[in-house]
Amino acid sequence: RPYLCAATRIARLGCSLPSEDVATTAAREHLEEMVREGLGRRRAVAARSKAASAELLGELRAAILRKRTPDVRLLQDLLKAGASPEARNLNDFDFKDPWVTPRSGHSEPDLQRPLSPLELLAMNTHSEAEVTKLIIARAIQLKADPESTSGHGRSRALSLALSVRNVAAAEALISGGAQVTNQVLRMLRRISSVEKRKNVEAALWAALSSRQTHANEDELLKQLWVAVHFGFVEKAVKHIEGHAMNHFEEPIEEFTRADRWVFTSLRRCTSPAKKSIEDALRQKLGLKMFEYIRAEAATHELRLELREAVMDRRDPDLELVAELLRIGASPDARDADIDSSDDGGFDTDGEE
């Protein structure tokens, strides 16, 4: 046990100081030799790696709690010292050391779960973009798996990044090989900020185009909202025309709840052929149903934008708000959750 604590101090002496004089270097080397003699070379290397891993997690968690950029030099040195880029929980380490044990009682519930360095970087929205990209790229280079999960839920690093609208982390993870799945696309569509959403979309489709990800584009495009959102007009119109749906005299809530995202995607679509999709939907649904569902979708998107503006401490997009009100969004709607029903109707993909 004393040797493990000594290894922790050595990892800190060797990694966290911005500079070393001759005496400090000599002292560190002497301590390293003592640990090697006490533990044996192999166990000493393992102890140093374990200590560096614990400190890596501690620094990443501290950066989130203190709303700052992680110490990039410290992280690089810890990885160089043998920290595991796939370490998950400080409680996994068999020593208690106040230097590396996180404080308890914090209010961020997500940090109570075992999270990997990639997931912690994905969650830190206060980090400088370039630092986030640099550390994620380095971790993936050291064989960190952007697809790994903790067993305490399905959230992967990319999904976490999208859930907090961390564009830099999302771009770095996609570039590093994170897979584009239905879950990822569902998280993407919840981003209201046009600029953030477009940046992620550009990285996503660049990866798909270069076959950098193993995602099956045809499989993803079986979802109508995806085809509409990204302007795949032929696939979208074929899907609409092939769906067994007739005109209705009165709006049917059970149908519209499943298809709000299709209309949200239609509004967001920037394809020159967008009108072809809109015309197909009008013809399939009838004017009254079309207008009703569009207004329902606009109401939900309005709430999404206003909620995101509060969470991100920014002004609402006035141009977007005005457009949504113009197409029928209700300013008095309450307790509407655009994610409460994602299956059935036109937009059926079978995903839970």
Side-chain angles (χ1 to χ4, degrees):
R1 186 184 184 87
Y3 287 120
L4 289 174
C5 291
T8 304
R9 297 303 191 275
I10 290 171
R12 180 171 289 278
L13 282 172
C15 298
S16 62
L17 294 177
S19 62
E20 287 186 352
D21 55 25
V22 175
T24 302
T25 301
R28 177 171 57 82
E29 291 175 351
H30 180 62
L31 284 171
E32 288 177 340
E33 185 58 35
M34 289 177 60
V35 171
R36 280 194 293 269
E37 290 179 0
L39 291 176
R41 187 171 298 275
R42 181 176 297 180
R43 290 185 63 198
V45 170
R48 181 181 176 88
S49 175
K50 184 175 289 189
S53 298
E55 191 169 3
L56 177 71
L57 292 173
E59 167 61 14
L60 292 174
R61 287 171 180 261
I64 294 175
L65 292 172
R66 296 168 188 170
K67 299 180 179 181
R68 63 169 172 82
T69 299
D71 184 332
V72 62
R73 177 168 180 177
L74 173 60
L75 296 182
Q76 288 179 316
D77 286 345
L78 288 169
L79 288 169
K80 192 175 182 180
S84 170
E86 294 202 307
R88 283 197 170 272
N89 195 342
L90 293 179
N91 295 328
D92 293 339
F93 301 102
D94 55 2
F95 58 88
K96 300 295 182 183
D97 189 328
W99 288 70
V100 297
T101 302
R103 297 178 181 178
S104 60
H106 49 71
S107 59
E108 287 78 357
D110 280 335
L111 293 183
Q112 301 289 351
R113 299 187 291 114
L115 296 166
S116 71
L118 289 183
E119 290 167 333
L120 290 167
L121 287 162
M123 291 175 62
N124 191 345
T125 58
H126 300 279
S127 176
E128 295 176 11
E130 291 309 311
V131 171
T132 297
K133 291 179 179 180
L134 176 66
I135 298 301
I136 287 177
R138 179 58 177 155
I140 292 175
Q141 184 182 6
L142 292 172
K143 307 304 182 185
D145 182 6
E147 293 298 298
S148 64
T149 57
S150 64
H152 291 257
R154 297 190 304 167
S155 293
R156 293 176 170 86
L158 180 53
S159 294
L160 280 174
L162 293 175
S163 71
V164 296
R165 297 169 292 285
N166 188 342
V167 174
E171 291 175 336
L173 289 163
I174 292 170
S175 297
Q179 299 307 299
V180 180
T181 63
N182 288 333
Q183 182 188 14
V184 166
L185 291 178
R186 285 168 182 262
M187 299 302 296
L188 172 65
R189 71 185 182 183
R190 293 172 60 185
I191 299 177
S192 182
S193 167
V194 176
E195 181 181 1
K196 289 183 177 181
R197 193 174 62 249
K198 291 297 183 184
N199 286 341
V200 176
E201 287 171 3
L204 186 154
W205 287 109
L208 284 174
S209 300
S210 64
R211 301 300 176 184
Q212 184 175 317
T213 175
H214 300 303
N216 187 325
E217 183 177 315
D218 291 334
E219 193 67 28
L220 296 175
L221 288 173
K222 285 182 179 179
Q223 302 173 84
L224 176 57
W225 78 266
V226 177
V228 173
H229 185 101
F230 293 103
F232 287 83
V233 179
E234 185 177 341
K235 289 182 179 292
V237 171
K238 184 177 180 180
H239 191 137
I240 294 167
E241 291 176 346
H243 196 281
M245 183 57 62
N246 299 315
H247 290 66
F248 289 93
E249 296 298 327
E250 296 295 334
I252 298 178
E253 177 66 13
E254 287 72 15
F255 168 67
T256 63
R257 284 170 51 195
D259 296 300
R260 287 169 181 158
W261 278 116
V262 174
F263 280 76
T264 298
S265 298
L266 179 63
R267 192 206 62 76
R268 292 173 172 176
C269 179
T270 58
S271 170
K274 170 182 176 178
K275 191 174 184 305
S276 298
I277 302 175
E278 184 174 327
D279 290 343
L281 282 169
R282 285 182 189 273
Q283 183 176 355
K284 192 69 175 180
L285 298 172
L287 180 60
K288 191 171 185 178
M289 176 63 90
F290 179 92
E291 297 292 342
Y292 177 78
I293 303 176
R294 185 171 68 170
E296 286 285 300
T299 298
H300 285 81
E301 191 175 4
L302 176 63
R303 288 180 56 81
L304 187 69
E305 166 61 18
L306 296 178
R307 183 166 57 242
E308 183 176 297
V310 172
M311 293 175 65
D312 291 354
R313 299 183 179 182
R314 63 170 174 83
D315 292 330
D317 184 331
L318 295 182
E319 185 177 342
L320 172 60
V321 170
E323 181 184 355
L324 293 172
L325 291 172
R326 179 180 58 79
I327 61 177
S330 170
D332 295 322
R334 291 178 178 272
D335 300 324
D337 183 1
I338 199 164
D339 296 314
S340 62
S341 179
D342 275 342
D343 50 274
F346 276 136
D347 190 17
T348 302
D349 58 25
E351 180 183 324
E352 296 180 359

